[in-house]
Structures are given as C-alpha cells and as structure tokens.
Amino acid sequence: MNNEALKVKWFNGAKGTVGIAKVKTHEGEIEYRISPVDGFLEHMDVQQIVAWGVWFPTEAGDALFLEGV
C-alpha cells in the first residue's frame, strides 16, 4: 500500500500555489504534508505533495481540515 492523499487544501498567492495534504501513510497513520506545486495538473500536484512534501504540524493540520471538531 502506498501513501495516499485523503484531502488537499490549496493556497494561491503572487508567487505560486501551495498545497497541504492530509496523508494516510503506508503504515496506516495520518499525517499532514505541505509543498509548493506547479499548479497545472492537480493530480500531479497531489502526487508531488504526498511524495516530496514536508511535515506539517498535526495540530495545525487537524484545525485546517476541521478534524476532531
């Protein structure tokens, strides 16, 4: 089983697009990852976040995706 994006939030600014993904890891754990992306093909951008995105704080991710509310 590969890592899988469950949800993604997009943020656009003057310097480009950033995505934050809620990811289910191949171990079955939930974590959040963030990465700048090209913004041309959403499915490729999501793959980039899952594969190369950096860790995003769990508490911030839960709040952003309204988890546990």
Side-chain angles (χ1 to χ4, degrees):
M1 181 175 150
N2 293 325
N3 294 337
E4 172 188 8
L6 302 175
K7 298 178 184 178
V8 181
K9 297 271 186 179
W10 302 105
F11 300 91
N12 299 301
K15 293 193 174 192
T17 302
V18 172
I20 301 173
K22 179 179 181 179
V23 176
K24 184 174 183 180
T25 68
H26 62 275
E27 293 95 5
E29 297 182 15
I30 300 297
E31 62 184 38
Y32 298 93
R33 298 182 186 173
I34 185 171
S35 179
V37 294
D38 292 331
F40 296 118
L41 294 171
E42 184 174 357
H43 71 278
M44 292 186 71
D45 291 343
V46 171
Q47 289 176 347
Q48 177 180 331
I49 297 167
V50 171
W52 303 105
V54 297
W55 177 81
F56 188 77
T58 301
E59 296 81 7
D62 286 346
L64 180 67
F65 287 92
L66 301 176
E67 300 298 327
V69 175

Short mmCIF file of all heavy atoms in Angstrom, two decimals:
data_model
loop_
_atom_site.label_atom_id
_atom_site.label_comp_id
_atom_site.label_asym_id
_atom_site.label_seq_id
_atom_site.Cartn_x
_atom_site.Cartn_y
_atom_site.Cartn_z
N MET A 1 0.84 -1.19 0.00
CA MET A 1 0.00 0.00 0.00
C MET A 1 0.88 1.25 0.00
O MET A 1 1.83 1.35 0.76
CB MET A 1 -0.89 -0.03 1.24
CG MET A 1 -1.82 1.12 1.34
SD MET A 1 -2.90 0.89 2.78
CE MET A 1 -3.17 2.57 3.21
N ASN A 2 0.57 2.19 -0.84
CA ASN A 2 1.33 3.44 -0.94
C ASN A 2 0.69 4.51 -0.06
O ASN A 2 -0.44 4.37 0.40
CB ASN A 2 1.34 3.93 -2.38
CG ASN A 2 2.13 3.02 -3.29
OD1 ASN A 2 3.13 2.45 -2.87
ND2 ASN A 2 1.67 2.86 -4.51
N ASN A 3 1.43 5.60 0.14
CA ASN A 3 0.87 6.75 0.82
C ASN A 3 -0.25 7.31 -0.05
O ASN A 3 -0.15 7.31 -1.28
CB ASN A 3 1.94 7.80 1.05
CG ASN A 3 3.00 7.35 2.01
OD1 ASN A 3 2.80 6.47 2.83
ND2 ASN A 3 4.17 7.94 1.92
N GLU A 4 -1.32 7.81 0.60
CA GLU A 4 -2.50 8.26 -0.14
C GLU A 4 -2.98 9.59 0.41
O GLU A 4 -3.14 9.75 1.63
CB GLU A 4 -3.59 7.20 0.00
CG GLU A 4 -4.92 7.59 -0.53
CD GLU A 4 -6.01 6.59 -0.19
OE1 GLU A 4 -5.77 5.66 0.59
OE2 GLU A 4 -7.12 6.77 -0.71
N ALA A 5 -3.26 10.55 -0.48
CA ALA A 5 -3.84 11.82 -0.06
C ALA A 5 -5.33 11.62 0.18
O ALA A 5 -6.05 11.14 -0.70
CB ALA A 5 -3.61 12.88 -1.12
N LEU A 6 -5.79 11.98 1.36
CA LEU A 6 -7.21 11.88 1.69
C LEU A 6 -7.95 13.17 1.38
O LEU A 6 -9.09 13.14 0.92
CB LEU A 6 -7.38 11.51 3.17
CG LEU A 6 -6.70 10.21 3.60
CD1 LEU A 6 -6.85 10.02 5.11
CD2 LEU A 6 -7.28 9.03 2.84
N LYS A 7 -7.29 14.30 1.65
CA LYS A 7 -7.86 15.63 1.38
C LYS A 7 -6.70 16.57 1.07
O LYS A 7 -5.60 16.37 1.55
CB LYS A 7 -8.60 16.18 2.61
CG LYS A 7 -9.78 15.38 3.06
CD LYS A 7 -10.39 16.02 4.30
CE LYS A 7 -11.53 15.19 4.86
NZ LYS A 7 -12.08 15.78 6.09
N VAL A 8 -6.98 17.61 0.29
CA VAL A 8 -5.97 18.62 -0.03
C VAL A 8 -6.60 20.00 0.04
O VAL A 8 -7.73 20.20 -0.40
CB VAL A 8 -5.37 18.40 -1.44
CG1 VAL A 8 -4.30 19.44 -1.74
CG2 VAL A 8 -4.79 16.99 -1.58
N LYS A 9 -5.87 20.94 0.60
CA LYS A 9 -6.26 22.35 0.61
C LYS A 9 -5.23 23.11 -0.23
O LYS A 9 -4.03 22.85 -0.14
CB LYS A 9 -6.26 22.92 2.03
CG LYS A 9 -7.23 22.29 2.97
CD LYS A 9 -8.55 22.98 2.92
CE LYS A 9 -9.45 22.39 4.01
NZ LYS A 9 -10.73 23.03 4.03
N TRP A 10 -5.71 24.05 -1.04
CA TRP A 10 -4.84 24.83 -1.93
C TRP A 10 -4.83 26.29 -1.51
O TRP A 10 -5.87 26.85 -1.12
CB TRP A 10 -5.34 24.73 -3.37
CG TRP A 10 -5.40 23.32 -3.86
CD1 TRP A 10 -6.52 22.56 -4.03
CD2 TRP A 10 -4.31 22.49 -4.24
NE1 TRP A 10 -6.18 21.32 -4.49
CE2 TRP A 10 -4.82 21.24 -4.62
CE3 TRP A 10 -2.92 22.67 -4.27
CZ2 TRP A 10 -4.02 20.19 -5.05
CZ3 TRP A 10 -2.14 21.62 -4.70
CH2 TRP A 10 -2.68 20.41 -5.09
N PHE A 11 -3.66 26.90 -1.62
CA PHE A 11 -3.48 28.31 -1.33
C PHE A 11 -2.71 28.94 -2.48
O PHE A 11 -1.65 28.43 -2.88
CB PHE A 11 -2.73 28.51 0.00
CG PHE A 11 -3.47 27.88 1.15
CD1 PHE A 11 -3.22 26.57 1.53
CD2 PHE A 11 -4.44 28.61 1.84
CE1 PHE A 11 -3.92 25.99 2.58
CE2 PHE A 11 -5.15 28.03 2.88
CZ PHE A 11 -4.88 26.72 3.25
N ASN A 12 -3.26 30.02 -3.03
CA ASN A 12 -2.64 30.69 -4.18
C ASN A 12 -2.21 32.09 -3.78
O ASN A 12 -2.95 32.80 -3.11
CB ASN A 12 -3.63 30.78 -5.34
CG ASN A 12 -4.05 29.41 -5.81
OD1 ASN A 12 -3.22 28.61 -6.21
ND2 ASN A 12 -5.34 29.13 -5.75
N GLY A 13 -1.02 32.46 -4.23
CA GLY A 13 -0.51 33.79 -3.96
C GLY A 13 0.26 34.30 -5.16
O GLY A 13 0.34 33.64 -6.20
N ALA A 14 0.85 35.45 -5.01
CA ALA A 14 1.59 36.08 -6.10
C ALA A 14 2.77 35.24 -6.58
O ALA A 14 3.17 35.31 -7.74
CB ALA A 14 2.08 37.46 -5.68
N LYS A 15 3.32 34.41 -5.71
CA LYS A 15 4.49 33.61 -6.07
C LYS A 15 4.16 32.16 -6.39
O LYS A 15 5.05 31.35 -6.56
CB LYS A 15 5.53 33.68 -4.96
CG LYS A 15 6.13 35.06 -4.84
CD LYS A 15 7.34 35.04 -3.97
CE LYS A 15 7.99 36.42 -3.99
NZ LYS A 15 9.30 36.40 -3.42
N GLY A 16 2.87 31.80 -6.46
CA GLY A 16 2.51 30.44 -6.85
C GLY A 16 1.51 29.78 -5.93
O GLY A 16 0.84 30.43 -5.13
N THR A 17 1.43 28.47 -6.07
CA THR A 17 0.45 27.65 -5.36
C THR A 17 1.14 26.76 -4.34
O THR A 17 2.20 26.19 -4.62
CB THR A 17 -0.33 26.78 -6.36
OG1 THR A 17 -0.97 27.63 -7.32
CG2 THR A 17 -1.38 25.93 -5.67
N VAL A 18 0.52 26.63 -3.18
CA VAL A 18 0.99 25.74 -2.13
C VAL A 18 -0.16 24.81 -1.78
O VAL A 18 -1.32 25.24 -1.69
CB VAL A 18 1.42 26.53 -0.87
CG1 VAL A 18 1.72 25.60 0.29
CG2 VAL A 18 2.62 27.39 -1.19
N GLY A 19 0.16 23.53 -1.59
CA GLY A 19 -0.85 22.56 -1.17
C GLY A 19 -0.49 21.94 0.16
O GLY A 19 0.68 21.71 0.46
N ILE A 20 -1.52 21.69 0.96
CA ILE A 20 -1.36 20.96 2.21
C ILE A 20 -2.26 19.74 2.11
O ILE A 20 -3.46 19.87 1.83
CB ILE A 20 -1.74 21.81 3.43
CG1 ILE A 20 -0.89 23.07 3.49
CG2 ILE A 20 -1.60 20.99 4.72
CD1 ILE A 20 -1.30 24.05 4.57
N ALA A 21 -1.68 18.56 2.30
CA ALA A 21 -2.44 17.32 2.15
C ALA A 21 -2.52 16.55 3.45
O ALA A 21 -1.56 16.50 4.22
CB ALA A 21 -1.78 16.43 1.09
N LYS A 22 -3.70 15.99 3.69
CA LYS A 22 -3.88 15.03 4.76
C LYS A 22 -3.55 13.68 4.14
O LYS A 22 -4.18 13.27 3.15
CB LYS A 22 -5.32 15.05 5.27
CG LYS A 22 -5.58 14.05 6.37
CD LYS A 22 -7.03 14.14 6.85
CE LYS A 22 -7.26 13.15 7.97
NZ LYS A 22 -8.66 13.25 8.45
N VAL A 23 -2.54 13.00 4.66
CA VAL A 23 -1.99 11.80 4.03
C VAL A 23 -2.14 10.60 4.95
O VAL A 23 -1.84 10.67 6.13
CB VAL A 23 -0.49 12.01 3.69
CG1 VAL A 23 0.12 10.74 3.12
CG2 VAL A 23 -0.33 13.18 2.74
N LYS A 24 -2.61 9.49 4.37
CA LYS A 24 -2.60 8.20 5.07
C LYS A 24 -1.36 7.47 4.60
O LYS A 24 -1.19 7.20 3.41
CB LYS A 24 -3.85 7.39 4.74
CG LYS A 24 -3.93 6.09 5.51
CD LYS A 24 -5.26 5.40 5.26
CE LYS A 24 -5.35 4.14 6.08
NZ LYS A 24 -6.64 3.47 5.85
N THR A 25 -0.44 7.21 5.53
CA THR A 25 0.83 6.58 5.17
C THR A 25 0.64 5.09 4.93
O THR A 25 -0.40 4.51 5.30
CB THR A 25 1.88 6.77 6.27
OG1 THR A 25 1.48 6.03 7.43
CG2 THR A 25 2.07 8.24 6.62
N HIS A 26 1.65 4.47 4.35
CA HIS A 26 1.56 3.03 4.10
C HIS A 26 1.52 2.23 5.41
O HIS A 26 1.15 1.07 5.39
CB HIS A 26 2.67 2.54 3.15
CG HIS A 26 4.06 2.73 3.67
ND1 HIS A 26 4.74 3.91 3.52
CD2 HIS A 26 4.87 1.89 4.33
CE1 HIS A 26 5.93 3.79 4.07
NE2 HIS A 26 6.04 2.58 4.57
N GLU A 27 1.87 2.86 6.53
CA GLU A 27 1.74 2.21 7.85
C GLU A 27 0.35 2.40 8.44
O GLU A 27 0.06 1.91 9.52
CB GLU A 27 2.78 2.77 8.84
CG GLU A 27 4.21 2.44 8.50
CD GLU A 27 4.89 3.55 7.70
OE1 GLU A 27 4.27 4.62 7.50
OE2 GLU A 27 6.02 3.34 7.27
N GLY A 28 -0.51 3.19 7.75
CA GLY A 28 -1.86 3.43 8.23
C GLY A 28 -2.01 4.65 9.12
O GLY A 28 -3.09 4.90 9.64
N GLU A 29 -0.94 5.42 9.31
CA GLU A 29 -1.00 6.60 10.16
C GLU A 29 -1.43 7.82 9.34
O GLU A 29 -1.26 7.85 8.13
CB GLU A 29 0.35 6.85 10.80
CG GLU A 29 0.78 5.73 11.73
CD GLU A 29 2.10 6.01 12.41
OE1 GLU A 29 2.57 7.16 12.39
OE2 GLU A 29 2.67 5.05 12.96
N ILE A 30 -1.99 8.81 10.02
CA ILE A 30 -2.39 10.05 9.37
C ILE A 30 -1.35 11.12 9.68
O ILE A 30 -0.93 11.29 10.83
CB ILE A 30 -3.77 10.52 9.88
CG1 ILE A 30 -4.84 9.47 9.58
CG2 ILE A 30 -4.13 11.88 9.28
CD1 ILE A 30 -5.08 9.20 8.10
N GLU A 31 -0.91 11.83 8.64
CA GLU A 31 -0.01 12.96 8.82
C GLU A 31 -0.35 14.01 7.77
O GLU A 31 -1.12 13.75 6.84
CB GLU A 31 1.45 12.53 8.72
CG GLU A 31 1.86 11.94 7.39
CD GLU A 31 3.30 11.44 7.40
OE1 GLU A 31 3.75 10.89 8.40
OE2 GLU A 31 3.96 11.62 6.36
N TYR A 32 0.21 15.18 7.94
CA TYR A 32 -0.03 16.29 7.01
C TYR A 32 1.29 16.67 6.37
O TYR A 32 2.34 16.67 7.02
CB TYR A 32 -0.64 17.48 7.75
CG TYR A 32 -1.97 17.16 8.38
CD1 TYR A 32 -2.07 16.72 9.70
CD2 TYR A 32 -3.14 17.25 7.64
CE1 TYR A 32 -3.28 16.41 10.26
CE2 TYR A 32 -4.37 16.94 8.19
CZ TYR A 32 -4.43 16.51 9.51
OH TYR A 32 -5.65 16.20 10.07
N ARG A 33 1.23 17.02 5.08
CA ARG A 33 2.42 17.43 4.33
C ARG A 33 2.10 18.69 3.53
O ARG A 33 0.99 18.87 3.06
CB ARG A 33 2.87 16.32 3.39
CG ARG A 33 3.27 15.06 4.13
CD ARG A 33 3.75 14.00 3.20
NE ARG A 33 4.00 12.75 3.96
CZ ARG A 33 4.30 11.61 3.40
NH1 ARG A 33 4.42 11.54 2.08
NH2 ARG A 33 4.50 10.55 4.13
N ILE A 34 3.12 19.53 3.36
CA ILE A 34 2.96 20.80 2.65
C ILE A 34 4.05 20.93 1.60
O ILE A 34 5.19 20.49 1.82
CB ILE A 34 3.01 21.99 3.64
CG1 ILE A 34 2.73 23.31 2.92
CG2 ILE A 34 4.31 22.02 4.43
CD1 ILE A 34 2.53 24.48 3.89
N SER A 35 3.70 21.54 0.44
CA SER A 35 4.69 21.72 -0.62
C SER A 35 4.21 22.77 -1.62
O SER A 35 3.01 22.84 -1.91
CB SER A 35 4.91 20.40 -1.37
OG SER A 35 5.84 20.56 -2.41
N PRO A 36 5.14 23.55 -2.17
CA PRO A 36 4.77 24.38 -3.31
C PRO A 36 4.62 23.46 -4.52
O PRO A 36 5.27 22.42 -4.61
CB PRO A 36 5.97 25.32 -3.49
CG PRO A 36 7.12 24.60 -2.87
CD PRO A 36 6.54 23.74 -1.78
N VAL A 37 3.72 23.82 -5.44
CA VAL A 37 3.47 22.99 -6.62
C VAL A 37 3.39 23.87 -7.86
O VAL A 37 3.28 25.10 -7.78
CB VAL A 37 2.18 22.17 -6.47
CG1 VAL A 37 2.31 21.15 -5.34
CG2 VAL A 37 0.97 23.05 -6.23
N ASP A 38 3.41 23.22 -9.04
CA ASP A 38 3.33 23.96 -10.30
C ASP A 38 1.95 24.56 -10.53
O ASP A 38 1.81 25.61 -11.14
CB ASP A 38 3.68 23.06 -11.48
CG ASP A 38 5.14 22.65 -11.47
OD1 ASP A 38 5.97 23.42 -10.94
OD2 ASP A 38 5.45 21.56 -11.97
N GLY A 39 0.89 23.86 -10.13
CA GLY A 39 -0.46 24.37 -10.29
C GLY A 39 -1.06 24.15 -11.66
O GLY A 39 -2.05 24.78 -12.02
N PHE A 40 -0.49 23.23 -12.44
CA PHE A 40 -1.02 22.97 -13.79
C PHE A 40 -1.92 21.75 -13.84
O PHE A 40 -2.98 21.79 -14.45
CB PHE A 40 0.13 22.80 -14.79
CG PHE A 40 0.95 24.05 -14.97
CD1 PHE A 40 2.28 24.05 -14.65
CD2 PHE A 40 0.39 25.22 -15.43
CE1 PHE A 40 3.06 25.19 -14.79
CE2 PHE A 40 1.13 26.37 -15.58
CZ PHE A 40 2.48 26.35 -15.26
N LEU A 41 -1.51 20.65 -13.22
CA LEU A 41 -2.29 19.41 -13.21
C LEU A 41 -2.48 18.97 -11.76
O LEU A 41 -1.52 18.57 -11.09
CB LEU A 41 -1.59 18.30 -13.99
CG LEU A 41 -1.45 18.55 -15.49
CD1 LEU A 41 -0.55 17.50 -16.12
CD2 LEU A 41 -2.82 18.53 -16.16
N GLU A 42 -3.71 19.03 -11.28
CA GLU A 42 -3.98 18.78 -9.87
C GLU A 42 -3.51 17.40 -9.42
O GLU A 42 -2.89 17.27 -8.36
CB GLU A 42 -5.47 18.94 -9.57
CG GLU A 42 -5.79 18.78 -8.10
CD GLU A 42 -7.24 19.07 -7.77
OE1 GLU A 42 -8.01 19.46 -8.66
OE2 GLU A 42 -7.59 18.91 -6.59
N HIS A 43 -3.77 16.36 -10.21
CA HIS A 43 -3.37 15.02 -9.76
C HIS A 43 -1.85 14.89 -9.63
O HIS A 43 -1.37 14.21 -8.73
CB HIS A 43 -3.96 13.93 -10.68
CG HIS A 43 -3.35 13.85 -12.03
ND1 HIS A 43 -3.73 14.68 -13.07
CD2 HIS A 43 -2.38 13.05 -12.53
CE1 HIS A 43 -3.03 14.39 -14.14
NE2 HIS A 43 -2.20 13.42 -13.84
N MET A 44 -1.11 15.57 -10.49
CA MET A 44 0.36 15.53 -10.37
C MET A 44 0.82 16.37 -9.17
O MET A 44 1.77 16.00 -8.48
CB MET A 44 1.01 16.00 -11.66
CG MET A 44 0.78 15.01 -12.80
SD MET A 44 1.67 15.42 -14.28
CE MET A 44 3.34 15.06 -13.77
N ASP A 45 0.15 17.48 -8.93
CA ASP A 45 0.48 18.31 -7.77
C ASP A 45 0.24 17.54 -6.48
O ASP A 45 1.06 17.57 -5.56
CB ASP A 45 -0.34 19.59 -7.77
CG ASP A 45 0.05 20.55 -8.89
OD1 ASP A 45 1.14 20.39 -9.46
OD2 ASP A 45 -0.75 21.45 -9.20
N VAL A 46 -0.86 16.80 -6.41
CA VAL A 46 -1.17 15.99 -5.23
C VAL A 46 -0.09 14.93 -5.03
O VAL A 46 0.40 14.72 -3.91
CB VAL A 46 -2.57 15.36 -5.33
CG1 VAL A 46 -2.79 14.35 -4.21
CG2 VAL A 46 -3.64 16.43 -5.30
N GLN A 47 0.30 14.26 -6.11
CA GLN A 47 1.35 13.25 -6.02
C GLN A 47 2.65 13.85 -5.51
O GLN A 47 3.36 13.23 -4.72
CB GLN A 47 1.58 12.59 -7.38
CG GLN A 47 0.47 11.68 -7.81
CD GLN A 47 0.69 11.11 -9.20
OE1 GLN A 47 1.56 11.56 -9.95
NE2 GLN A 47 -0.11 10.12 -9.56
N GLN A 48 2.96 15.07 -5.96
CA GLN A 48 4.19 15.74 -5.52
C GLN A 48 4.14 16.02 -4.02
O GLN A 48 5.12 15.79 -3.30
CB GLN A 48 4.39 17.05 -6.28
CG GLN A 48 5.61 17.82 -5.80
CD GLN A 48 5.82 19.11 -6.56
OE1 GLN A 48 5.45 19.23 -7.71
NE2 GLN A 48 6.40 20.08 -5.89
N ILE A 49 3.00 16.49 -3.53
CA ILE A 49 2.88 16.77 -2.10
C ILE A 49 3.05 15.49 -1.28
O ILE A 49 3.78 15.46 -0.29
CB ILE A 49 1.52 17.43 -1.78
CG1 ILE A 49 1.40 18.78 -2.48
CG2 ILE A 49 1.35 17.60 -0.27
CD1 ILE A 49 -0.01 19.34 -2.48
N VAL A 50 2.38 14.42 -1.71
CA VAL A 50 2.45 13.15 -0.98
C VAL A 50 3.88 12.62 -0.98
O VAL A 50 4.38 12.16 0.05
CB VAL A 50 1.46 12.13 -1.58
CG1 VAL A 50 1.68 10.74 -0.99
CG2 VAL A 50 0.02 12.59 -1.36
N ALA A 51 4.55 12.68 -2.13
CA ALA A 51 5.90 12.09 -2.25
C ALA A 51 6.99 12.97 -1.65
O ALA A 51 7.92 12.47 -1.02
CB ALA A 51 6.20 11.80 -3.71
N TRP A 52 6.91 14.28 -1.85
CA TRP A 52 8.03 15.16 -1.50
C TRP A 52 7.69 16.26 -0.50
O TRP A 52 8.58 17.01 -0.09
CB TRP A 52 8.59 15.81 -2.77
CG TRP A 52 9.02 14.78 -3.76
CD1 TRP A 52 8.38 14.44 -4.91
CD2 TRP A 52 10.17 13.95 -3.69
NE1 TRP A 52 9.06 13.44 -5.56
CE2 TRP A 52 10.17 13.12 -4.83
CE3 TRP A 52 11.20 13.81 -2.77
CZ2 TRP A 52 11.16 12.17 -5.06
CZ3 TRP A 52 12.18 12.87 -3.01
CH2 TRP A 52 12.15 12.07 -4.15
N GLY A 53 6.44 16.37 -0.12
CA GLY A 53 6.05 17.41 0.82
C GLY A 53 6.71 17.23 2.18
O GLY A 53 7.06 16.12 2.58
N VAL A 54 6.88 18.32 2.88
CA VAL A 54 7.49 18.28 4.21
C VAL A 54 6.40 18.20 5.27
O VAL A 54 5.25 18.57 5.04
CB VAL A 54 8.42 19.49 4.47
CG1 VAL A 54 9.58 19.48 3.49
CG2 VAL A 54 7.67 20.79 4.40
N TRP A 55 6.79 17.70 6.44
CA TRP A 55 5.87 17.52 7.54
C TRP A 55 5.22 18.85 7.92
O TRP A 55 5.86 19.90 7.96
CB TRP A 55 6.64 16.95 8.73
CG TRP A 55 5.82 16.78 9.95
CD1 TRP A 55 4.97 15.75 10.23
CD2 TRP A 55 5.76 17.66 11.07
NE1 TRP A 55 4.38 15.93 11.45
CE2 TRP A 55 4.85 17.11 11.99
CE3 TRP A 55 6.37 18.87 11.38
CZ2 TRP A 55 4.55 17.72 13.20
CZ3 TRP A 55 6.08 19.47 12.58
CH2 TRP A 55 5.18 18.90 13.48
N PHE A 56 3.91 18.81 8.16
CA PHE A 56 3.14 19.95 8.61
C PHE A 56 2.58 19.59 9.99
O PHE A 56 2.12 18.45 10.18
CB PHE A 56 2.00 20.21 7.61
CG PHE A 56 1.23 21.48 7.84
CD1 PHE A 56 1.76 22.70 7.48
CD2 PHE A 56 -0.04 21.43 8.39
CE1 PHE A 56 1.03 23.88 7.67
CE2 PHE A 56 -0.76 22.60 8.59
CZ PHE A 56 -0.22 23.82 8.23
N PRO A 57 2.63 20.48 10.97
CA PRO A 57 2.21 20.13 12.33
C PRO A 57 0.81 19.51 12.40
O PRO A 57 -0.14 20.03 11.81
CB PRO A 57 2.26 21.46 13.08
CG PRO A 57 3.23 22.29 12.31
CD PRO A 57 3.06 21.87 10.87
N THR A 58 0.70 18.43 13.13
CA THR A 58 -0.56 17.70 13.24
C THR A 58 -1.69 18.57 13.79
O THR A 58 -2.81 18.55 13.26
CB THR A 58 -0.38 16.45 14.12
OG1 THR A 58 0.64 15.64 13.53
CG2 THR A 58 -1.66 15.65 14.25
N GLU A 59 -1.40 19.34 14.83
CA GLU A 59 -2.43 20.19 15.42
C GLU A 59 -2.94 21.22 14.42
O GLU A 59 -4.13 21.50 14.35
CB GLU A 59 -1.90 20.90 16.68
CG GLU A 59 -1.54 19.95 17.80
CD GLU A 59 -0.15 19.32 17.63
OE1 GLU A 59 0.61 19.70 16.71
OE2 GLU A 59 0.17 18.41 18.41
N ALA A 60 -2.03 21.79 13.64
CA ALA A 60 -2.42 22.78 12.63
C ALA A 60 -3.21 22.11 11.50
O ALA A 60 -4.19 22.66 11.01
CB ALA A 60 -1.18 23.47 12.07
N GLY A 61 -2.78 20.91 11.09
CA GLY A 61 -3.50 20.18 10.06
C GLY A 61 -4.90 19.80 10.50
O GLY A 61 -5.86 19.94 9.74
N ASP A 62 -5.03 19.33 11.75
CA ASP A 62 -6.35 18.99 12.28
C ASP A 62 -7.27 20.22 12.27
O ASP A 62 -8.43 20.13 11.91
CB ASP A 62 -6.24 18.44 13.70
CG ASP A 62 -5.69 17.02 13.75
OD1 ASP A 62 -5.62 16.35 12.70
OD2 ASP A 62 -5.33 16.58 14.87
N ALA A 63 -6.73 21.37 12.68
CA ALA A 63 -7.52 22.59 12.70
C ALA A 63 -7.89 23.02 11.28
O ALA A 63 -9.04 23.41 11.03
CB ALA A 63 -6.76 23.71 13.41
N LEU A 64 -6.94 22.94 10.37
CA LEU A 64 -7.19 23.35 8.98
C LEU A 64 -8.26 22.50 8.32
O LEU A 64 -9.11 22.99 7.60
CB LEU A 64 -5.88 23.27 8.18
CG LEU A 64 -5.95 23.68 6.72
CD1 LEU A 64 -6.25 25.17 6.59
CD2 LEU A 64 -4.63 23.36 6.04
N PHE A 65 -8.20 21.19 8.56
CA PHE A 65 -9.15 20.26 7.94
C PHE A 65 -10.36 19.98 8.84
O PHE A 65 -11.16 19.10 8.54
CB PHE A 65 -8.45 18.96 7.58
CG PHE A 65 -7.54 19.10 6.38
CD1 PHE A 65 -6.19 19.40 6.55
CD2 PHE A 65 -8.01 18.93 5.09
CE1 PHE A 65 -5.34 19.54 5.45
CE2 PHE A 65 -7.18 19.06 3.99
CZ PHE A 65 -5.85 19.37 4.18
N LEU A 66 -10.46 20.74 9.95
CA LEU A 66 -11.59 20.64 10.89
C LEU A 66 -11.77 19.24 11.43
O LEU A 66 -12.89 18.74 11.58
CB LEU A 66 -12.88 21.14 10.24
CG LEU A 66 -12.85 22.59 9.74
CD1 LEU A 66 -14.15 22.93 9.04
CD2 LEU A 66 -12.59 23.55 10.89
N GLU A 67 -10.67 18.58 11.74
CA GLU A 67 -10.72 17.23 12.31
C GLU A 67 -10.93 17.35 13.82
O GLU A 67 -10.33 18.20 14.46
CB GLU A 67 -9.42 16.47 12.01
CG GLU A 67 -9.15 16.31 10.54
CD GLU A 67 -10.19 15.51 9.78
OE1 GLU A 67 -10.78 14.58 10.36
OE2 GLU A 67 -10.45 15.85 8.63
N GLY A 68 -11.75 16.51 14.36
CA GLY A 68 -11.99 16.49 15.79
C GLY A 68 -12.86 17.62 16.28
O GLY A 68 -12.92 17.91 17.47
N VAL A 69 -13.56 18.28 15.34
CA VAL A 69 -14.45 19.39 15.74
C VAL A 69 -15.86 18.89 15.86
O VAL A 69 -16.33 18.09 15.14
CB VAL A 69 -14.39 20.54 14.70
CG1 VAL A 69 -15.38 21.62 15.03
CG2 VAL A 69 -12.99 21.08 14.63
#
